[in-house]
């Protein structure tokens, strides 16, 4: 690997065009090719040298990231006046443009309106340095406290669950070897030796006494009667980094709990269990993938089950369905991959159930509600393709319940809920998809019974969206200025800039803005030059932006001083350049001529 | 057979020169002064004009000294060179050695020393001109510069800023004209030869590749064969050991003669001979081959730029060589590591343990004397037994113990009795101090020995001190308030403190650059900090103000440390010179020159008689505080060394470097053995060093910057949290 890189190292030199561009940018035209070549080699060498020194400061600053201050210090070492005023930004976007047979990288400098800066409220004062102590280890054992990293990082949990053969923890390994020494049969030992037969290590899920106590406390609190305790327990599940050993128990607890309580129609307990699922999903240190097969059925049950409570007419089981549907959507988002395909499988499940109740009028409204809720939480695309086409039929069915002969109260409540659910979810989707104007008749024609209501909802949604957009605009206006780099503006405007239309670009920012290819080639080359700096810095393992930042102006300074001639011997940089035995006087003469 | 004799002769001459110089006491110069290629022995490469040139250089130096009114040094130099007084009156231009090419080597130790010193002077252009004998000899501390050291200092001072002629002298050694096209052939020929020799010699001879490669490349570059140099580099750079990659990168960027001037790496290569250790058999094999082939180009380079340390005995194996190689200038010479090191601890002063101990107080009257006696005896026997390896108590003057120090010592002993024995089955507890909101600006941390204070150095040039005990930090009252205090009262020490200023942390402002090194004095009254601005500052922890700014380093000072007995401290930085200071002198007492790259870390030996410095040239050097000599050069690391630690008994040293390895050194004892592996061998942790690893404790997102064992063997760690 190193060998591959080495030849490159000697060859990375700034292109001579960049030298010309530099010279032009400070008003020196017609630099001879030879001088350019000499300059570019020299400058590349000096930049490398400075970068190397800057690295030293980075190491002693105990950082892994080179900053502009490191380069300032390195310049100071060389007796060069540092370039003050550059700040290290996390990210300096080099924009790319091509056209007219050229490929360019450039760095866009935005114009900053001073009044904006003045008017923006001051940022908060950064907090002062403070000292905090914690136990990293107690007699060789790392306590599982929030200050310490989780005992098993997510990655390890993942490898353990996916590749149990590879991920053998030291403890287990030991256990294995002991086993081998003690009781392994000779055949087994042989097999191990040969490496032909590899035993899957037995993973133990024994919990320590403390963990057992914790598990007991937590589960009791979660399903107990004290709400304050429950909140605490859920908080603990959501944040504690050391839960992964208990995860199988929790997941079994939840799935069994749901199974039992659905049969018993115990709404409260179901809600508690769903909240536990939520808390588990919120915990960033847990690798839940392994337990989805238990959790997802439980959640789906809570969405589409016919009956979740003893008195369906009074209890608010709808809220549970909504909550579970949101959970489902969240888990789809987090865990869906190309291999497990959770999202599409869930969608299919819901659609299947939904199809069944679509065809069958006798299906419970509760199940129907659950399906629609589950589907609509999965996003606007799903709503558009799966729910909108069925609005008419659904509307007719709701109409039949509400207008028709007196049916059971339960059905009526169910129909009401389905209606409001449909209106809620479909309105926002239609508002986005459907062009104006919102005509009631048109809606009725398209969506049947629900049409007029939908129409009014859509109008409302549109108004709200407009209002929100306004607010967003206002807030962004106040905060955009101080951090111009965070948003990468689309380079479309630039791509379309054709040769011969330089007037479109703002003149003050000439430095880095691409000019027409025909007239001003200077900036083009400068950009090329910058790109090559990037290359150098990459070989030196530096953060390119910082180098480029300083190097550009250093270059300019150097050229400027060379250009002004030898008259100013106090300038250290000039001395440097002349000491390179570059024909500085020659360059100067040419410049003057 | 001729070859054998020649080799022996070389060796003898070297030894002569060396002993001479070692007697002078100028160990730093010693490291670079003699070589097989110097005037007297390197018969083949010597051009007829050689000796005349040497004299001219010497004269130039003399004249220079004279002009700067450094008559003392002139005398010394003249005496050593055996020149007559009128010789230097002839007008010799400064750059005597500069223009004339064709001179392969400057030769005599005067010249070489000069070039070395000029290297130093490049790094320290503005050393005060009078940092010589007089300013130190008469002062309260009877530490003196040895005469030749003194001379070195003055030359440094005088020639500051005017390094040009010397650089030219250095460079002109490369102006040998050979056919540039043949270089790859020569190199390839040697490569083939070495690949074909017996296995036992191959590893040893392979050491030649890297220095040879570098010097051939530099020669090509110097003679303006840019393209050939590039090709040569591309062809053979891949063959070099991977740990030289960093140097090769620097080398590769140097493609023009103009670049060579002022390039530090290049100068290092030229001024310091690359040291190789090769067994006699292997060396003769190489020599015979080169002579048979009439391969003068390579032979010349070996003669001039390499120092081949020949030993009798079995050739070394690849792993043995790998354990020692990796430094910028090859291995340390055997002679450089021969001096005796008194690594034992100094005798502890006898202190009466007072009887106010709680458990003793609980005891009845009769129990007391009984209890007291054995305790005292055990202590007495411990301290009376003089360690045979310990230096004399008065080898270097140490500060007198104050009452407060004695109290502290007593505390220390009490704590030590409560010390937990650690072992594989009994791992320490670790308390981690996280610096929050440091914004990646924490650069150095230190704990006091009693773990009551923590200091942090920051990139924003501040130094902050925290108290980690309930006792808050208080400032001494102002002078006006102090005069009102009743000085006879018992609690006068309490009274002088200003309660209003009590706080958990204090900020010390004064530096003008990032603070890279920080160290508490053992008595907790002072704090040292070293910074990018080139100064070391001494802060009082009574008044929380800066007391002294020690100026001397002109470049960033990477590290500083107090002596375990206080009073002295050491600093080292980018200028490659470590300086030993005493707190009451504004100028350094010793300057340890010899490292070829930045000094990155400095450390006092527990007995305060020695100082260890780790450097970016991938060597560790041990310096004698008394004489200023370098007594050990430890090679083996493959990356810049960034931390050092002595074992409490002073016998071992551990070092950590950016190559990701920790080496444990047992290098201060049994040096009389000529077996080099024992002489400077570190205990090389085998591949299965995982077995030695007792535990790994992850932090969340906090790089660990400092570690410290408390007196009770609790491990403290510190670092800045980077969210």
């Amino acid at each position: 690997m190193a060998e591959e890189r080495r030849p490159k190292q000697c060859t990375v030199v700034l292109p001579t065009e960049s030298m010309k561009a530099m010279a032009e940018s400070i008003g020196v035209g017609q630099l001879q090719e030879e001088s350019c070549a000499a300059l570019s080699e020299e400058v590349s060498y000096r930049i490398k040298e400075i970068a190397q020194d800057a690295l030293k400061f980075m190491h002693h600053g105990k950082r892994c990231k080179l900053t502009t201050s490191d380069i300032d210090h390195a310049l100071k070492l060389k007796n060069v006046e540092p370039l003050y005023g550059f700040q290290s930004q996390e990210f300096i976007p080099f924009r790319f443009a091509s056209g007219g047979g050229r490929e360019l990288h450039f760095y866009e400098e935005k114009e900053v309106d001073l009044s904006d800066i003045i008017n923006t409220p001051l940022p908060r004062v950064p907090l002062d340095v403070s000292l905090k102590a914690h136990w990293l280890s107690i007699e060789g054992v790392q306590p599982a406290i929030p200050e310490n990293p989780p005992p098993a990082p997510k990655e390890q949990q993942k490898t353990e669950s996916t590749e149990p053969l590879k991920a053998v923890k030291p403890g287990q390994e030991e256990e294995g070897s002991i086993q081998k020494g003690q009781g392994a049969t000779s055949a087994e030992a042989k097999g191990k030796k040969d490496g032909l037969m590899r035993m899957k290590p037995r993973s133990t899920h024994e919990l320590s006494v403390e963990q057992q106590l914790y598990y007991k406390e937590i589960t009791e609190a979660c399903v107990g009667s004290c709400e304050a305790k429950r909140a605490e327990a859920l908080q603990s599940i959501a944040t504690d980094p050391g839960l992964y050993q208990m995860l199988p128990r929790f997941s079994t607890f939840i799935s069994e709990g749901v199974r039992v309580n659905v049969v018993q129609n115990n709404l409260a307990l179901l809600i508690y269990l769903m909240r536990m699922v939520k808390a588990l999903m919120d915990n960033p240190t847990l690798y839940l993938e392994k337990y989805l097969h238990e959790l997802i059925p439980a959640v789906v049950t809570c969405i589409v089950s016919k009956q979740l409570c003893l008195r369906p007419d009074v209890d608010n089981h709808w809220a549970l369905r909504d909550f579970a549907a949101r959970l489902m959507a969240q888990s789809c988002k987090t865990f869906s991959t190309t291999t497990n395909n959770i999202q599409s499988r869930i969608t299919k499940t819901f659609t299947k159930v939904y199809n069944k109740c679509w065809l069958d009028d006798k299906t419970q409204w509760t199940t129907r509600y659950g399906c629609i809720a589950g589907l609509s939480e999965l996003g606007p695309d799903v709503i558009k393709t799966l729910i909108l086409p069925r609005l008419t039929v659904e509307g007719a069915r709701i109409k039949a319940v509400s207008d028709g002969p007196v049916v059971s109260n339960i059905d009526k409540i169910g129909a009401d809920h389905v209606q409001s659910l449909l209106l809620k979810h479909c309105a926002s989707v239609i508002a986005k998809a459907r062009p104006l104007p919102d005509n009631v008749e048109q809606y009725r024609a398209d969506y049947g019974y629900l049409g007029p209501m939908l129409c009014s909802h859509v109008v409302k949604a549109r108004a709200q969206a407009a209002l929100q957009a306004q607010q967003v605009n206002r807030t962004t206006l106040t905060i955009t200025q101080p951090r111009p780099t965070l948003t990468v503006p689309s380079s479309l405007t630039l791509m379309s800039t054709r040769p011969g239309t330089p007037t479109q670009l703002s003149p003050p920012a000439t430095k880095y803005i691409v000019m027409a290819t025909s007239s001003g080639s200077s900036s083009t080359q400068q950009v090329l030059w910058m790109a090559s700096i990037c290359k150098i810095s990459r070989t030196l393992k530096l953060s390119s932006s910082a180098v480029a930042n300083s190097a550009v102006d250093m270059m300019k300074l150097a050229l400027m001083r060379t250009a002004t001639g030898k008259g100013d011997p106090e300038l250290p940089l000039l001395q440097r350049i002349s000491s390179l035995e570059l024909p500085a006087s020659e360059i100067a003469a040419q410049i003057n001529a | 057979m001729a070859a054998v004799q020649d080799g022996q002769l070389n060796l003898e001459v070297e030894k002569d020169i060396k002993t001479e110089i070692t007697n002078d006491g100028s160990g730093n110069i010693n490291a670079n002064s003699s070589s097989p290629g110097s005037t007297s022995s390197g018969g083949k490469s010597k051009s007829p004009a050689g000796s005349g040139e040497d004299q001219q250089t010497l004269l130039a130096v003399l004249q220079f000294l004279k002009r700067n009114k450094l008559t003392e040094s002139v005398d010394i130099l003249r005496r050593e060179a055996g020149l007559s007084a009128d010789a230097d009156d002839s007008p010799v231009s400064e750059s005597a050695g500069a223009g004339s090419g064709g001179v392969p080597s400057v030769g005599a130790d005067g010249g070489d020393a000069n070039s070395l010193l000029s290297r130093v002077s490049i790094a320290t252009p503005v050393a005060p001109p009078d940092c010589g004998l007089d300013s130190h000899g008469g002062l309260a501390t009877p530490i003196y510069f040895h005469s030749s050291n003194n001379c070195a200092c003055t030359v440094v001072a005088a020639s500051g800023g005017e390094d040009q002629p010397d650089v030219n002298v250095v460079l002109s050694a490369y102006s040998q004209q050979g056919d540039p096209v043949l270089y790859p052939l020569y190199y390839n020929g040697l490569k083939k030869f070495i690949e074909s020799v017996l296995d036992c010699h191959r590893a040893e001879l392979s050491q030649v590749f890297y220095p040879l490669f570098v010097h051939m490349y530099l020669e090509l570059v110097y003679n303006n064969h840019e393209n050939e140099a590039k090709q040569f580099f591309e062809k053979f750079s891949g063959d070099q050991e991977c740990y030289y990659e960093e140097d090769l990168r620097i080398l590769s960027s140097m493609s023009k003669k103009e670049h060579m001037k002022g390039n530090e790496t290049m100068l290092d290569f030229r001024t310091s001979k690359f040291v190789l250790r090769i067994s006699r058999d292997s060396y003769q094999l190489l020599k015979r081959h080169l002579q048979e082939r009439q391969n003068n180009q390579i032979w010349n380079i070996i003669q001039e730029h390499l120092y081949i340390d020949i030993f009798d005995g079995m050739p070394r194996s690849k792993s043995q060589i790998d354990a020692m190689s990796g430094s910028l200038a090859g291995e340390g010479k055997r002679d450089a590591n021969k001096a005796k090191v008194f690594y034992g601890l100094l005798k502890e002063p006898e202190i009466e343990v007072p009887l106010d101990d709680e458990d003793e107080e609980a005891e009845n009257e009769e129990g007391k004397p009984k209890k007291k006696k054995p305790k005292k005896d055990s202590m007495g026997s411990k301290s009376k037994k003089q360690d045979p390896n310990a230096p004399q108590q008065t080898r270097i003057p140490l500060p007198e113990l104050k009452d407060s120090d004695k109290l502290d010592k007593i505390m220390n002993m009490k704590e030590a009795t409560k010390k937990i024995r650690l072992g594989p089955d009994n791992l320490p507890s670790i308390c981690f101090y996280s610096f929050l909101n440091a914004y990646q600006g924490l650069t150095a941390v230190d704990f006091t020995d009693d773990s009551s204070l923590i200091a942090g150095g920051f990139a924003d040039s501040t130094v902050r001190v925290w108290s980690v005990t309930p006792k808050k930090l208080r400032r001494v009252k102002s002078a006006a308030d102090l005069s009102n205090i009743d000085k006879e009262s018992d609690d006068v020490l309490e009274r002088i403190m200003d309660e209003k200023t009590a706080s958990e942390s204090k900020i010390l402002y004064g530096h003008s650059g990032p603070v890279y090194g920080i160290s508490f004095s053992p008595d907790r009254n002072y704090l040292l900090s070293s910074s990018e601005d080139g100064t070391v500052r001494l802060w009082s922890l009574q008044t929380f103000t800066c007391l002294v700014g020690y100026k001397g380093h002109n470049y960033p000072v990477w590290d500083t440390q107090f002596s375990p007995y206080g009073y002295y401290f050491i600093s080292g930085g980018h200028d490659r010179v470590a300086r030993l200071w005493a707190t009451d002198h504004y100028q350094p007492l010793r300057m340890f020159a010899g490292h070829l790259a930045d000094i990155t870390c400095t450390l006092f030996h527990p007995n305060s008689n020695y100082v260890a410095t780790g450097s970016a040239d991938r060597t560790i050097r041990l310096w004698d505080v008394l004489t200023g000599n370098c007594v050990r050069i430890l090679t083996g690391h493959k990356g810049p060394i960034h931390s050092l630690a002595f074992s409490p008994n002073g016998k071992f040293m551990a070092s950590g470097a950016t190559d990701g390895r920790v080496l444990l050194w047992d290098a201060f004892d049994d040096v009389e053995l000529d077996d080099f592996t024992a002489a400077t061998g570190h205990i090389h942790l085998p591949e299965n060093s995982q077995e030695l690893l007792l535990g790994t404790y992850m932090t969340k997102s906090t790089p660990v910057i400092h570690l410290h064992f408390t007196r009770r063997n609790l491990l403290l760690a510190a670092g800045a949290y980077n969210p």
Side-chain angles (χ1 to χ4, degrees), chain A residues 3 5-6 41 45 56-57 62 73 77 128 130 132-137 139-140 142 146 149 539 580, chain B residues 237-238 245 249 253 256 258-259 263 429-430 432 434 436-437 443 464 516 532 555 598 697-698 700:
Chain A
E3 277 86 330
R5 228 175 36 231
R6 263 180 213 150
E41 262 186 51
Y45 174 69
K56 245 178 226 174
F57 285 94
K62 313 243 171 14
H73 290 143
L77 274 192
D128 198 19
S130 60
K132 188 175 187 295
H134 72 266
W135 289 107
L136 186 67
S137 133
E139 292 179 354
Q142 193 160 24
T539 41
L580 319 172
Chain B
S237 63
E245 201 190 323
R249 197 183 347 229
S253 67
K256 282 199 173 317
E258 291 84 44
H259 296 162
N263 186 301
S429 300
I430 307 170
F432 199 97
S434 307
L436 304 176
N437 311 316
T443 44
R464 287 160 198 261
Y516 291 119
E532 187 270 339
Y555 289 102
D598 298 30
Y697 307 100
M698 311 287 281
K700 233 176 180 177

Side-chain angles (χ1 to χ4, degrees), chain A residues 40 58 74 76 83 87 90 95 98 122-123 146-147 200 220 230 284 286 317 343 348 353 383 396 473 495 506 573 578:
Chain A
S40 75
M58 183 189 83
K76 217 168 133 193
L83 300 149
Q87 282 174 357
E90 285 295 300
R95 288 175 56 182
S98 62
L122 285 173
E147 286 87 350
K200 186 172 167 176
E220 273 172 12
R230 178 164 28 253
L286 291 178
H317 58 99
Q343 166 114 32
K348 249 181 238 158
V353 182
I383 297 178
N473 277 343
M495 307 274 278
S506 53
L573 203 74
S578 55

Side-chain angles (χ1 to χ4, degrees), chain A residues 287-327:
Chain A
Y287 183 76
L288 270 187
E289 275 86 338
K290 214 168 150 184
Y291 305 98
L292 287 179
H293 67 278
E294 283 187 318
L295 294 178
I296 286 184
V299 176
V300 175
T301 307
C302 288
I303 300 174
V304 296
S305 177
K306 270 183 213 153
Q307 199 180 356
L308 290 170
C309 49
L310 287 172
R311 294 162 299 164
D313 48 341
V314 187
D315 291 335
N316 189 4
H317 58 99
W318 313 104
L320 171 63
R321 291 175 199 274
D322 282 339
F323 181 74
R326 272 199 294 278
L327 262 183

